[in-house]
Amino acid sequence: MSIEHPLCKLVAYATPLALALISQPAFAHAHLKSEVPAAKSVVSAAPSVIKLKFSEGVEPKFSGVSISGPKNVPVKLSQPTVDPQDNSRLLISVQGPMPAGQYRVNWHAVSVDGHKTKGDYSFSLK
């Protein structure tokens, strides 16, 4: 069959598309899947650790979290680490006081494949 044959043309055009779709997971990003305290939750006690679970492993050296509380006062936090059993879970110890009120968590994460994502959410403390 020559390249002019309709089936050859279909294969010639479909192959690159199929390869692009198959290799798509290699270009994934670390998306936030869950958080503790949960988004929009009301908690009765100040958390000692903020836990962020991502869709894939993250690099703690290049990832970060900040929390601001009532009147936009920042909360003192430790440097992020990853859970030793799960590199997709970022752990941040809370080192400062957290009075009752609304809190905003801003995060950015760099996945193990180098892609950066960011976001924010809020929760309240009774």
Side-chain angles (χ1 to χ4, degrees), residues 3-96:
I3 191 91
E4 298 301 317
H5 190 278
L7 183 58
C8 290
K9 283 184 178 181
L10 177 65
V11 170
Y13 289 116
T15 301
L17 178 61
L19 289 173
L21 292 174
I22 291 170
S23 65
Q24 195 65 14
F27 301 110
H29 292 66
H31 297 286
L32 186 64
K33 299 300 253 179
S34 65
E35 61 281 328
V36 176
K40 300 180 184 176
S41 67
V42 177
V43 296
S44 57
S48 60
V49 176
I50 304 296
K51 300 175 185 176
L52 304 177
K53 172 71 174 165
F54 293 92
S55 57
E56 63 182 79
V58 294
E59 294 287 348
K61 285 183 177 182
F62 305 109
S63 302
V65 174
S66 65
I67 300 177
S68 55
K71 299 180 184 176
N72 283 331
V73 174
V75 175
K76 186 173 177 165
L77 303 171
S78 71
Q79 290 293 88
T81 61
V82 292
D83 183 327
Q85 282 81 40
D86 182 359
N87 75 344
S88 68
R89 187 178 313 274
L90 201 59
L91 307 173
I92 307 93
S93 295
V94 176
Q95 298 179 331

Side-chain angles (χ1 to χ4, degrees), residues 110-125:
V110 175
S111 63
V112 292
D113 64 4
H115 291 101
K116 185 175 183 179
T117 54
K118 64 181 180 175
D120 63 81
Y121 73 93
S122 61
F123 69 93
S124 296
L125 177 59

